[in-house]
Every structure is written in C-alpha cells, then in structure tokens.
C-alpha cells in the first residue's frame, strides 16, 4: 500500500496523541488512582501504535506496545503508579517524539530504543523497584538483538521465558591472550566458572569446536543470569589468559514485533478490548469530524497571499472611484470593501492557532527542571486558548523556553531558602496569555526572589553598559530591564539551565524581530513578571503613510506614540544633533530624507516640521517627514533576495494608486 499520501495525517495525529499522552501523564502523577487518565493514555498509545504499524514504522509500534503493556497492568491494578514509572514513560515519549520528528524531516524514523524497551520490560516483570540500582550498570552494557546472534526460534523462546522468570540474557564475547596455547582448556574453565551463576544456551562456534580449540582468539556465548553483569565480567576475567570480556544485553524487540504482526487481528483479546473502547468513543469523534476539517497550512498561506492581492486591488478601486466621482461605482467599491474586510478577518482567523500549542510543552519541561534543581514548583497556565498568528507561534517558543528556564533557575528559590523567607516551600510560576487591542500579551510571573536592583546596577556599571550618573537616574523597572542587555549576567555561577549571559538579549532581539516588545517588573523578595507584547498577525499591518519629498513611506502604528507639528524655532541641538522637547523629555530627531538619502526637491522653506514620535521600549525618537498622508492597512511584502537587510526597511507594500511604499522599521532608527 502506498502510504505516502497518509504521511501528513499520520504526523499530525501522532503529535496530537503524543501531546495528549504527555498531558495525561502529568495529571496521572498527581492523581495516580485516576483510571480514566490511564485509559485515555492507553487509547492514545494504542492508536499511535496502530497508525505506526500501518505506516511501517516498526520502532514506534514496538515502543508504544511496551508502553501499552505497562499501562495495561496499571489499569488492571497489577502495578502502582510511581515516579520511576512516570520517568520511564516520559523517556519513551521523548523517544517517540524524536522518531516522529525524524520522519517529518524525511528520515526513516528509526531509533535505538532497546534500552527503553528493556526498562519497560523490567517494569512489566515486576522489577521496577530494582530498576534505579540496575540502570547505572545497564547503561554501561551495550545491547544486541536476538536475530543478530543466530538464535533459532526455540532458543529465542527460552530467552523470552527466562526474562519472564527474572533472568537477564547477555551475549558475552571472551578474548584470550595471543600467548594462550590451550585455548580449549581456558574456554572450559570459563564455562565452569559461570556454571553456578546462570545458564549458557548458545555458543559461537559450537561447544565441540571450542573444546577442541578450533577458533581464533575469541569465542562468544549467550548467557542467562540474574547476577550483576559487572560481577559476571569479573568472574570471567579471573580466569587465566583471558585478555578481554565484552558483555551485551540481549533484546528480543524484533522477533516480538514480528510475532505481534503475525497474530490475526480478530484473535487478539487486547485488540478486541480496544476496538470496543474505540467503538464507544466513535460517535463523539464522528460528530467532531463533521464540524472540522484539516487544511494544510500551506494552502491557507496561499489563500492569504491571493487575498493580499485583493487588498491591494481594493485600494486601487478606492482611488479610481474617488477620481471618477461616480456614485454607483463608489457604492460598489464600498460594498467590496466591507465584504473584503470580513473575508480578511476570516482568513486571518484561519491562521490563528491557540497558544496552547506552545504552552503545552512547559508543564513537562518545568517538571524536569524542578527535579534537576531540587525545587518544588507549581505551574499555572492561564489563557492557553488565546489565539495568535501561526507564524508568531512558530517563532515564540524558544524565547519563552529561555525566559521560563531563567525564572526557574534564578527566580524561584530552593525550598529551604523559601521557608526561611517565610514563603511556601513550593514556588509558583504563572504563564498567562491574553488579548488586548491588536496585540497578544504573554506574561511569565514567578513568586521568587525577584531581581536585586543594586546588583544589576553595579554589574551594568562594571560592564560599561551605563555610567554611575545614568544608573542613579533609572527607575527600578528600568534597572530590571538592564538584564536584557547583551552579555549581561549576574549569575554567581554558570549552570546548564541558564546563567551564561548570552540569552536574554537574544530573547529580546527575537521578540522585537516579530514586531513585539518585552518589559520586566520585579520586586525584591516577591518575584518578577516578564511581559511580552506581540502583534496578532504579521502579514497585514496598520500603518501611518507619510510623505518624504516625492516618496511615500509606511510607519507601523504599533510603534507610533504620537504625531507632532514642530515649529522651526522649537527644534534644538544637543552635541550637534537635532533634538526636541517632548513632554519634558529630550527626544532625538531623525530626518527620513537624510537617512534614506532622498533627492531634495526645490520647495519653499517651511516654518514647521511634521514629526512622528516612535518608541522602542523606553526609548523615543522623532522621525521628521514632510507631511502625514493618513492611516492605512497595508500588505507586508518581502523585498526579496536581492534587497536583503536594507537599513531600517522591513518590507514594502503596493498602494492603491499602484505606487510602491517602503515600510520602515523604527527600531533601527533608535539612537544606539
């Protein structure tokens, strides 16, 4: 069967099921007796296994099958949920995510999961209590599959039965020294030394050939034992003239998978049970399917691109209707404008996806970080259904990861420190998203130690970021925002979590490249809030059109504070630069005609200047233009490969009269 046509659906649904398992496992850790959660996890794992087997991804099917076995024991009250079991299942989910990711990148989705399979086997065989102690040794022992060592079907069955009885199968390769003359005798001594510690079920070459010494300097065997592998190596190494001993754990993943595939679907009790479960949930799924369809994002992007052309033509029609002064044409154009505005809202809404797609990775991440750092952290997520443009969603994940890691590492204190400070031993981290106007706000709030303003101030002075005089003028929030400066870090020690001082400025730059802003509020001893402001969408933006000589430029409204008519005698100079007084604050002035080297036209000397006050964080700049044209929604178009990285220009747009207007990036025009 050609499965390529189903690959996209498989990847999409696999990610959904893995996320569902992730979420449910986190809840199960807090509510270990909730069998409904176990059933939900089981259903997702079972569906994933079925899809993977159908698509031919055997490693995924094999690992999910092992997970199913453990989950089945939990729901049948044969196994209690423990932290160790949750940890192993999380590791299995990580491996499954890696494999799905590999398939998405065009690879075969294969991964060595033998160690995980072995650990799940140990749990299934009731050895999870011993797992932690054994794992340290197990990771030092390589693995090999039964079909690679020449075992026949009978010997594989023996291995399976031995594992059920608590034995571990190993392939042991013994190398004798080059000086060894009586190789058969030494091999016999090796066999004899192992006699009391397990059972040898296979040798290579045969036992007869080994006893006669008909082999090179090494021979191998399959050994079943309950003894620690390190001890087995020591026992063999104690035999004279043994040069090297290599042990590998033997796994039966492949053969077991084949065996499962050979079982007719109708004869598997487990399959029947799950089919019944699936049937029970089928009506709800069918109802859901009747209301939604999956659409490739690329198709929506193409639709949006086409609509952007409609927006440009709409602007042209508006100009033509105004020029012709025809009432019927004007009415028709107004109707088209209303309909196209509704269409624009609908298409943009189709690109909107809940921010939960980014937030859903954090509960798991914080669980791991808290465990590594020895902290207790309660994560609260508010507004996960807040929608944001898909492009922004794809880009905002990494900055959020860094900010959250920073809060967990530097913000929230250790339990004993919190206790001494009169706080609950469990720190609280709140992740909040909400709409406001044409923006989405994301806040990361912690109730940790807050930012030490004096320490930040001194470090900034030490690093030459500000002077002592400037530091004394800063507010507490302005001081807190200094930690977003390049290379800034107050960490006393470098950790793997954060603290190298190379991250927060990158976070800030990334957010600003998305047209957003970041601000910090912090109170020593009470905690900090990192607040991110992002535009709802990046493709169609509201701008102020301005005129500079004969050229038209578009300035994003999101950056504009105010427009000002500045009398010529109100313009001042500081250090040879033009400045103005804006509400008691000295604001530098930048002439767009000078910045973009616009050819000067002959015109009468004006007594006043049109100035657009733009902001970047706390910084303000006045952009001198010739005149304001008006507000307009424009379609942001790339300048293409030949005009990359043009200073202070983020793109271009086509206006209603067919002219091209460049869209200004005000952030680039701020004084450094």
């Amino acid at each position: 069967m050609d499965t390529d046509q189903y690959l996209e659906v498989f990847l999409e649904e696999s990610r959904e099921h893995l996320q569902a398992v992730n979420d449910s496992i986190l809840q199960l850790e807090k509510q270990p007796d909730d069998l409904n959660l176990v059933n939900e996890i089981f259903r997702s794992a079972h569906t994933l296994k079925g899809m993977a087997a159908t698509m031919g991804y055997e490693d995924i099917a094999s690992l999910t099958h092992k997970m199913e076995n453990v989950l089945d024991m939990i729901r049948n009250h044969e196994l209690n949920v423990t932290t160790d079991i949750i940890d192993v299942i999380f590791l299995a989910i990580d491996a499954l995510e890696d494999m799905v990711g590999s398939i998405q990148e065009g690879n075969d989705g294969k991964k060595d999961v033998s160690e995980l399979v072995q650990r799940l086997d140990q749990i299934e065989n009731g050895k999870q209590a011993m797992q932690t102690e054994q794992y340290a040794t197990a990771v030092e022992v390589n693995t090999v599959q039964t079909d690679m060592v020449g075992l026949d079907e009978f010997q594989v069955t023996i291995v399976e039965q031995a594992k059920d009885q608590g034995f571990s199968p190993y392939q042991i390769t013994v190398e004798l020294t080059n000086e060894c003359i009586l190789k058969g005798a030494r091999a016999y001594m090796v066999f004899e030394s192992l006699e009391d510690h397990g059972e040898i079920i296979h040798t290579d070459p045969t036992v007869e050939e080994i006893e006669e010494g008909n082999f090179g300097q090494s021979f191998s065997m399959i050994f079943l034992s309950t003894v620690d592998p390190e001890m087995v190596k020591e026992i063999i190494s104690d035999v004279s003239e043994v040069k090297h001993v290599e042990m590998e754990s033997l796994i039966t993943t492949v053969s077991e998978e084949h065996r499962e595939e050979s079982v007719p679907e109708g004869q598997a009790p487990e399959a029947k049970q799950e089919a019944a479960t699936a049937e029970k949930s089928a009506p709800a799924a069918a109802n859901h399917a009747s209301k939604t369809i999956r659409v490739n994002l690329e198709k929506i992007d193409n639709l949006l691109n086409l609509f952007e052309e409609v927006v440009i033509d709409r602007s042209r029609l508006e100009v033509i209707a105004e020029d012709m002064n025809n009432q019927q044409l004007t009415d028709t154009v107004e109707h088209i404008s209303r309909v196209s505005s509704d269409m624009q809202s609908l298409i943009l809404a189709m690109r909107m996806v809940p921010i939960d797609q980014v937030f859903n990775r954090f509960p798991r991440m914080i669980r791991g970080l808290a465990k590594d750092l020895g902290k207790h952290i309660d994560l609260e997520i508010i507004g996960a259904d807040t929608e944001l443009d898909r492009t922004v969603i794809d880009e905002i994940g990494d900055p959020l990861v860094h900010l959250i890691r920073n809060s967990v590492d530097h913000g929230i204190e250790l339990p004993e420190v919190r206790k001494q400070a009169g706080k609950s031993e469990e720190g609280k981290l709140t992740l909040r998203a909400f709409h406001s106007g044409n923006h989405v706000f994301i806040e990361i709030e912690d109730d940790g130690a807050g930012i030490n303003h004096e320490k930040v101030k001194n470090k900034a002075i030490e690093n030459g970021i500000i002077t002592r005089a400037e530091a004394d003028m800063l507010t507490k929030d302005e001081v807190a925002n200094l930690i977003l400066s390049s290379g800034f870090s107050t960490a006393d020690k470098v950790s793997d979590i954060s603290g190298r001082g190379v991250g927060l400025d990158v976070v800030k730059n990334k957010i600003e490249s998305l047209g957003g802003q970041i601000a910090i509020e912090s109170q020593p001893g009470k905690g900090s809030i990192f607040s991110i402001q992002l535009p709802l969408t990046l493709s169609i933006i509201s701008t102020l059109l301005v005129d500079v000589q004969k050229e038209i430029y578009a300035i994003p409204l999101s950056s504009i504070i105010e427009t000002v008519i500045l009398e010529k005698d109100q313009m001042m100079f500081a250090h040879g630069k033009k400045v103005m007084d804006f509400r008691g604050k000295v604001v530098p002035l930048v002439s767009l005609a000078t910045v973009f080297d616009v050819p000067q036209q002959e015109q009468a000397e004006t007594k006043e200047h049109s100035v657009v006050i733009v902001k970047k964080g706390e910084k303000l700049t006045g952009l001198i233009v010739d005149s304001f044209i008006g507000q307009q929604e424009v379609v942001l178009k790339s300048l293409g490969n030949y005009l990359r990285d043009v200073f202070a220009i983020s793109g271009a747009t086509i206006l209603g009269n067919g002219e091209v207007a460049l869209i200004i990036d005000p952030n680039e025009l701020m004084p450094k």
Side-chain angles (χ1 to χ4, degrees):
M1 181 177 68
D2 181 12
T3 57
D4 288 349
Q5 57 183 318
Y6 305 115
L7 182 60
E8 202 168 313
V9 176
F10 166 74
L11 292 170
E12 187 72 22
E13 295 193 359
S14 295
R15 283 193 289 267
E16 287 178 4
H17 284 296
L18 286 171
Q19 188 56 52
V21 173
N22 243 322
D23 295 342
S24 298
I25 289 284
L26 282 168
Q27 289 184 51
L28 184 65
E29 189 173 28
K30 296 175 181 174
Q31 306 162 40
D33 298 326
D34 190 342
L35 289 183
N36 289 329
L37 285 173
V38 180
N39 285 328
E40 284 179 22
I41 300 166
F42 190 94
R43 279 196 292 272
S44 289
H46 187 76
T47 305
L48 182 59
K49 183 183 79 170
M51 291 192 306
T54 304
M55 296 291 291
Y57 299 118
E58 295 179 357
D59 286 349
I60 294 179
S62 170
L63 189 55
T64 46
H65 176 66
K66 289 295 177 187
M67 279 176 55
E68 269 188 339
N69 291 348
V70 172
L71 293 166
D72 194 41
M73 292 179 72
I74 293 174
R75 69 178 184 172
N76 289 326
H77 305 284
E78 296 171 9
L79 195 63
N80 293 324
V81 176
T82 65
T83 303
D84 287 340
I85 291 176
I86 296 288
D87 286 344
V88 174
I89 293 178
F90 271 140
L91 289 173
I93 294 170
D94 284 345
L96 291 170
E97 287 176 340
D98 288 346
M99 286 188 273
V100 171
S102 168
I103 294 167
Q104 186 173 16
E105 292 169 0
N107 302 318
D108 57 8
K110 289 188 178 298
K111 184 180 175 74
D112 181 7
V113 293
S114 51
E115 180 194 311
L116 273 171
V117 168
Q118 188 182 18
R119 295 182 71 179
L120 289 166
D121 272 341
Q122 288 178 343
I123 293 173
E124 189 182 344
N125 295 330
K127 296 175 68 177
Q128 73 276 14
M130 300 158 54
Q131 176 186 330
T132 305
E133 291 82 359
Q134 291 179 345
Y135 178 59
T137 303
V139 295
E140 296 170 4
V141 179
N142 294 325
T143 57
V144 62
Q145 296 181 343
T146 48
D147 58 345
M148 297 172 64
V149 294
L151 294 187
D152 58 32
E153 191 175 346
F154 175 70
Q155 289 169 326
V156 171
T157 304
I158 291 175
V159 171
E160 285 291 333
Q161 291 175 347
K163 285 167 66 179
D164 290 340
Q165 294 169 15
F167 284 80
S168 297
Y170 299 105
Q171 183 189 33
I172 303 175
T173 303
V174 181
E175 183 181 357
L176 302 176
T177 61
N178 295 331
E179 295 75 23
C180 180
I181 300 173
L182 300 173
K183 293 185 292 185
R186 294 302 176 199
Y188 175 77
M189 291 174 67
V190 169
F191 294 156
E192 190 178 44
S193 67
L194 294 175
E195 200 172 53
D196 295 333
H197 303 287
E199 186 178 354
I200 298 169
I201 64 166
H202 176 79
T203 63
D204 184 23
T206 63
V207 174
E208 289 77 14
E209 289 173 317
I210 291 175
E211 287 180 348
E212 291 171 6
N214 293 333
F215 61 96
Q217 290 307 119
S218 63
F219 61 95
S220 62
M221 65 190 107
I222 302 301
F223 183 57
L224 305 176
S225 175
T226 57
V227 177
D228 184 280
E230 281 301 314
M231 187 180 294
V232 174
K233 287 180 75 170
E234 284 183 17
I235 292 169
I236 300 173
S237 299
D238 286 341
V239 176
S240 297
E241 295 184 297
V242 169
K243 181 180 179 183
H244 179 68
V245 180
E246 184 176 340
M247 289 189 67
E248 294 173 295
S249 289
L250 193 65
I251 60 170
T252 55
T253 309
V254 174
S255 61
E256 190 169 308
E257 177 61 22
H258 288 168
R259 185 180 62 186
E260 184 191 332
E261 287 186 354
S262 67
V263 176
E265 191 176 341
Q267 294 178 15
E270 190 179 70
K272 285 182 179 176
Q273 188 176 352
E274 284 313 298
T277 307
E279 283 177 8
K280 287 179 184 176
S281 59
N287 290 337
H288 183 66
S290 65
K291 295 177 182 176
T292 60
I293 57 169
R294 290 177 187 274
V295 180
N296 190 310
L297 182 63
E298 193 177 339
K299 291 181 179 175
I300 297 178
D301 284 341
N302 290 336
L303 178 62
L304 182 61
N305 289 336
L306 288 173
F307 184 75
E308 287 172 354
E309 299 299 323
V310 174
V311 170
I312 293 169
D313 287 338
R314 181 184 69 187
S315 300
R316 285 178 181 162
L317 278 174
E318 287 171 347
V319 172
I320 292 170
E322 190 176 337
D323 291 344
M324 294 184 69
N325 197 23
N326 182 300
Q327 189 58 42
Q328 283 187 324
L329 179 59
T330 302
D331 292 345
T332 305
V333 170
E334 285 180 356
H335 180 71
I336 290 175
S337 296
R338 284 196 297 275
V339 172
S340 60
S341 292
D342 291 343
M343 285 176 63
Q344 178 180 329
S345 300
L346 280 173
I347 295 172
L348 292 179
M350 288 163 68
R351 283 183 55 87
M352 295 292 189
V353 290
I355 202 166
D356 184 48
Q357 292 194 11
V358 179
F359 282 6
N360 59 23
R361 72 176 82 164
F362 297 134
R364 170 78 190 285
M365 186 184 86
I366 288 173
R367 177 188 181 272
L369 289 175
K371 201 172 177 184
D372 292 344
L373 295 168
K375 297 181 179 180
H376 305 312
I377 299 174
D378 175 35
L379 173 67
E380 183 181 14
I381 292 180
I382 301 171
D385 56 350
T386 304
E387 292 187 329
L388 197 56
D389 187 277
R390 178 59 188 251
T391 307
V392 181
I393 289 280
D394 290 342
E395 298 291 330
I396 197 62
D398 288 344
L400 287 180
V401 166
H402 196 94
L403 290 174
I404 290 172
R405 290 169 76 91
N406 192 71
S407 289
V408 172
D409 193 14
H410 299 311
I412 295 176
E413 312 94 324
L414 288 166
E416 53 271 25
V417 177
R418 292 180 63 86
K419 197 174 179 182
Q420 288 173 4
K423 296 180 177 178
S424 162
E425 290 188 14
E426 185 178 64
K428 186 164 183 70
L429 189 67
T430 304
L431 199 53
R432 188 183 298 111
F434 57 91
H435 280 138
S436 179
N438 286 326
H439 293 88
V440 168
F441 288 82
I442 302 172
E443 292 181 349
I444 300 125
E445 180 176 1
D446 67 70
D447 68 344
I451 293 174
N452 186 327
H453 292 95
E454 281 305 311
K455 192 173 181 180
V456 170
K457 202 185 286 186
N458 293 332
K459 197 73 178 179
I461 295 168
E462 183 184 321
N463 289 349
I465 297 172
I466 54 172
T467 64
R468 171 64 67 183
E470 289 172 333
D472 293 338
M473 300 284 288
L474 296 178
T475 64
K476 287 188 175 179
D477 287 343
E478 287 172 337
V479 171
N481 280 277
L482 286 173
I483 67 171
L484 300 172
S485 305
S486 177
F488 189 92
S489 176
T490 58
D492 297 323
K493 59 180 181 181
V494 170
S495 71
D496 291 334
I497 309 298
S498 57
R500 292 181 184 276
V502 293
L504 289 181
D505 63 312
V506 176
V507 169
K508 185 184 178 190
N509 292 338
K510 185 69 180 177
I511 291 168
E512 288 180 346
S513 73
L514 294 171
Q517 296 173 358
I518 178 171
I520 305 171
E521 296 175 33
S522 183
Q523 292 188 50
K526 292 187 177 179
S528 306
I529 302 176
F530 288 78
S531 181
I532 298 170
Q533 176 186 336
L534 292 166
L536 273 179
T537 182
L538 299 177
S539 55
I540 299 178
I541 57 174
S542 296
T543 62
L544 173 69
L545 297 182
V546 296
D547 192 24
V548 179
Q549 301 297 329
K550 295 290 184 182
E551 297 182 1
I552 297 174
Y553 292 88
I555 305 174
L557 282 184
S558 58
S559 298
I560 297 176
I561 296 284
E562 200 169 319
T563 54
V564 176
I565 299 298
L566 186 70
E567 298 293 335
K568 191 175 180 182
D569 56 3
Q570 291 177 319
M571 186 180 289
M572 300 178 288
F573 290 86
H575 302 288
K577 303 281 181 67
K578 293 177 182 174
V579 297
M580 65 176 283
D581 179 3
F582 179 68
R583 305 190 193 287
K585 191 169 184 177
V586 176
V587 174
L589 291 170
V590 175
S591 168
L592 289 189
T594 305
V595 170
F596 297 123
D597 198 18
V598 182
Q600 295 289 322
Q601 305 289 327
E602 288 186 8
Q603 58 183 17
E605 190 174 344
T606 57
K607 294 181 179 178
E608 56 189 23
H609 298 284
S610 300
V611 178
V612 182
I613 307 294
V614 293
K615 64 174 180 177
K616 179 189 178 188
E618 297 299 320
K619 294 180 179 176
L620 299 178
T621 292
L623 305 180
I624 300 175
V625 300
D626 289 349
S627 63
F628 310 126
I629 297 175
Q631 181 180 333
Q632 186 168 331
E633 282 193 335
V634 300
V635 179
L636 177 64
K637 294 283 188 183
S638 166
L639 291 178
N641 294 331
Y642 293 106
L643 291 175
R644 278 184 180 176
D645 301 327
V646 177
F647 174 71
I649 296 296
S650 58
T653 189
I654 301 172
L655 302 175
N657 58 8
E659 287 187 27
V660 173
L662 296 176
I663 300 172
I664 291 173
D665 179 5
N667 293 335
E668 296 281 340
L669 297 173
M670 295 290 166
K672 304 297 181 187

